[in-house]
Each structure stands twice: as structure tokens, then as C-alpha cells.
């Protein structure tokens, strides 16, 4: 073998080493260029009911409380009707929400906060996890991947908001605060439900304490009631919107995302028929529950 050929392997090895070093350096440079640093002034706010998950979380909680003997079959039948109405008609009824709030406060009075938190974890596994909208879940992850904080905003109890946020890996959850003394619920609220304008107030307060620039923030909801919150941020988005919010979003050039399969624009007559079907379904649920008991 000639001297030239004998010297080739060392030269090739050296050249490959140089190429490997250059490639590693280039990869690190590309990675650094593509990486988006966390923006401490940006955040995203998500409504829960019919935005993050299908249906109303407070009624799923009511179902879990009923199974643990917090209240009667008649009470859960009423909650089932309200849940069915909300699911099929897709519109929040303030009277239903108020009734659910008062019932929940009545039934948790005298119970420990830790007990509701434990039940909330179980209810999430039993009923809520399967109702999370994959599309909205992906949107929360998109914000997290950008280094932004993500908060849930819901009229449900703050303990449930925190459970959902924790299980989805989000920054935190804000919800209705029930008064408790020495870890025991009194049956009263601290202020009012976190609903409508109250969500906007909470977002403003959070922006001030966290140093957020609302013009750089996003907000997501399905309900016309959350327009005050959506209007605060620079990037509002209507998710699975009710008719009033859909119209408002179109008029104002907001993003619209609908993850409901086979969705059709319902007429007033169709909504009435859906409400009737919901009532019948709830009656059957109540009847079956009574038989089981």
C-alpha cells in the first residue's frame, strides 16, 4: 500500500471530526434562533364550560356530590335537566346557574375544603377528562409552548378550576370563591360568582399583579356573557360560540373556532325541540336514579 493511501484514514477522521463539530455548532445556532423566549407580559385566559370542556362543570360536580350522598335524587334530576338543556341548546340560563350556585353552597356548608378538593379530583377522572375538547386543549398547549402563562376563568368553584388547571398542566384557575372558616365551608360566597363582568375584573386584577400587557394577551370563550373579558385582550377568540357571540365575533373580526362535530345553525324552533328533548331525557334520568335507589 502506498504512503498516500496509508495516510488517508487519519485525514478522513480529522475531516469528519471537523464536520461533526461544525454541524453541532450549526444545530445549536439554529435551535437558539428558533427558540422563542418566554414573554412575561403575555398570557391566555380560557373559559371552562363549553370552551375547555363539553357541558357545565358545576353540574358534573353536582353529579359527583350526589353519588357521595351530599343531596337527593330529586336534586340531581334537576341538575341533569339543566345540564341537558345547556348541552343541547348551548345557551347559559342565568336562573339555572343561580339555582346551581345556591344548591351547591347549601350542600357543601359544613364540609371541609379538603373534602371538596378530593372529590374534585375524582370527578375530573370520572366525568370531566373525557369531555375535554381536544382542539381547545391543543390551544392551551400552544400558549404553554410559547412560554406564556395560561389561566382558567370559570363560574364553577375555585377548587374545581384549580383541579382542572392542575390536571391539564396549566398555570392556574380562577373561580367562584366559597367562604370557609378554619377549612370548613360556611355556605356563603366571598363576593359573587365569577361570571360575566366579574371575569373582566379578575383579568384586570391579574394583569396588574402579574405585570401583563393585555394587548399581547389572548382570551377564549363560548359565551356572549364573556364579551367583557374577551374585549379586554388584544387577541379574543370565540370557541364553540353561542349565536350571540358568533355574531359579535364576526362583526368585530375576532377569531372563531368551533370543535363541535356535525354542528348546524339551529333555528328557534330547533332550539325549542332540543330543550324539550333535554327535559324528557332528564325526566328519564331522574326516574332511573329513583329506581336504582
Amino acid at each position: 500500500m502506498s504512503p498516500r493511501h496509508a495516510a488517508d484514514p487519519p485525514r478522513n477522521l480529522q475531516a469528519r471530526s471537523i464536520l461533526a463539530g461544525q454541524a453541532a455548532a450549526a444545530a445549536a445556532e439554529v435551535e437558539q434562533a428558533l427558540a422563542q423566549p418566554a414573554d412575561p407580559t403575555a398570557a391566555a385566559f380560557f373559559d371552562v364550560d363549553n370552551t375547555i370542556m363539553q357541558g357545565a362543570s358545576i353540574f358534573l360536580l353536582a353529579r359527583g356530590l350526589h353519588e357521595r350522598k351530599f343531596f337527593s335524587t330529586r336534586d340531581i334530576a334537576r341538575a341533569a335537566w339543566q345540564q341537558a338543556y345547556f348541552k343541547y341548546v348551548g345557551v347559559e340560563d342565568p336562573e339555572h346557574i343561580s339555582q346551581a350556585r345556591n344548591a351547591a353552597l347549601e350542600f357543601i356548608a359544613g364540609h371541609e375544603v379538603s373534602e371538596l378538593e378530593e372529590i374534585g379530583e375524582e370527578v375530573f377522572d370520572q366525568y370531566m377528562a373525557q369531555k375535554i375538547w381536544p382542539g381547545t386543549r391543543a390551544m392551551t398547549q400552544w400558549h404553554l409552548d410559547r412560554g406564556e402563562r395560561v389561566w382558567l376563568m370559570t363560574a364553577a368553584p375555585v377548587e374545581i378550576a384549580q383541579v382542572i388547571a392542575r390536571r391539564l398542566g396549566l398555570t392556574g384557575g380562577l373561580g367562584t370563591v366559597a367562604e370557609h372558616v378554619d377549612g370548613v365551608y360556611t355556605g356563603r360566597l366571598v363576593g359573587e360568582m365569577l361570571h360575566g363582568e366579574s371575569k373582566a375584573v379578575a383579568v384586570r386584577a391579574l394583569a396588574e399583579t402579574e405585570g401583563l400587557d393585555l394587548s399581547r394577551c389572548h382570551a377564549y370563550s363560548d359565551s356572549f356573557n364573556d364579551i367583557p373579558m374577551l374585549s379586554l385582550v388584544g387577541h379574543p377568540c370565540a370557541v364553540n360560540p353561542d349565536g350571540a357571540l358568533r355574531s359579535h365575533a364576526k362583526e368585530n373580526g375576532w377569531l372563531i373556532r368551533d370543535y363541535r362535530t356535525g354542528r348546524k345553525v339551529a333555528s328557534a324552533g330547533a332550539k325549542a325541540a332540543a330543550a324539550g328533548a333535554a327535559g324528557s331525557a332528564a325526566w328519564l334520568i331522574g326516574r332511573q336514579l329513583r329506581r336504582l335507589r
Side-chain angles (χ1 to χ4, degrees):
M1 182 179 293
S2 67
R4 182 175 61 82
H5 290 152
D8 281 345
R11 286 202 300 269
N12 288 340
L13 180 61
Q14 183 180 19
R16 289 173 182 173
S17 296
I18 293 173
L19 287 174
Q22 291 175 341
E29 183 179 358
V30 169
E31 183 178 0
Q32 183 177 4
L34 292 177
Q36 296 187 2
D39 185 352
T41 68
F45 306 97
F46 284 80
D47 171 52
V48 173
D49 297 348
N50 225 28
T51 303
I52 286 285
M53 60 182 291
Q54 180 183 1
S57 55
I58 194 169
F59 299 132
L60 297 177
L61 173 62
R63 182 177 177 182
L65 292 175
H66 169 262
E67 292 175 348
R68 291 156 181 83
K69 311 303 181 184
F70 273 63
F71 46 82
S72 69
T73 298
R74 177 178 296 181
D75 296 316
I76 193 60
R78 185 184 305 114
W81 181 85
Q82 293 167 343
Q83 166 71 358
Y85 181 93
F86 181 59
K87 177 179 178 180
Y88 287 103
V89 181
V91 178
E92 293 180 349
D93 186 323
E95 183 178 354
H96 288 176
I97 296 294
S98 178
Q99 290 173 355
R101 174 200 63 185
N102 294 334
L105 288 172
E106 177 183 348
F107 295 122
I108 68 173
H111 289 273
E112 295 183 357
V113 175
S114 58
E115 185 179 4
L116 186 63
E117 291 172 342
E118 182 179 349
I119 292 173
E121 295 280 357
E122 296 171 356
V123 167
F124 182 89
D125 289 331
Q126 283 182 283
Y127 306 121
M128 295 181 180
Q130 60 188 311
K131 293 183 177 294
I132 301 296
W133 294 107
T136 317
R137 178 68 184 92
M139 293 166 73
T140 65
Q141 190 60 50
W142 180 76
H143 286 287
L144 293 172
D145 291 343
R146 287 163 54 92
E148 298 173 0
R149 288 164 286 179
V150 178
W151 277 282
L152 300 182
M153 313 291 292
T154 177
V158 64
E159 292 83 2
I160 299 303
Q162 291 170 350
V163 165
I164 298 172
R166 183 166 59 252
R167 299 298 289 274
L168 296 182
L170 310 181
T171 307
L174 280 69
T176 299
V177 179
E179 181 185 74
H180 52 85
V181 176
D182 296 329
V184 177
Y185 291 110
T186 66
R188 295 186 294 270
L189 286 182
V190 177
E192 286 296 326
M193 293 180 67
L194 190 66
H195 186 259
E197 182 62 38
S198 296
K199 287 186 182 180
V201 172
V203 167
R204 289 193 195 96
L206 197 58
E208 183 174 351
T209 58
E210 298 290 330
L212 301 175
D213 179 355
L214 289 176
S215 68
R216 298 178 61 80
C217 292
H218 293 68
Y220 303 83
S221 179
D222 72 295
S223 174
F224 181 81
N225 295 314
D226 285 337
I227 285 179
M229 177 182 74
L230 293 168
S231 300
L232 278 180
V233 301
H235 307 282
C237 180
V239 179
N240 306 326
D242 59 35
L245 178 58
R246 181 178 291 273
S247 297
H248 186 88
K250 287 182 177 180
E251 291 172 1
N252 290 273
W254 293 357
L255 286 176
I256 299 175
R257 296 288 183 266
D258 203 319
Y259 300 116
R260 295 166 291 189
T261 58
R263 180 188 177 277
K264 295 182 179 180
V265 179
S267 64
K271 286 187 176 182
S280 300
W283 180 81
L284 290 172
I285 291 171
R287 177 178 165 182
Q288 183 62 25
L289 285 171
R290 286 191 292 274
R291 286 180 175 175
L292 291 174
R293 294 192 65 185

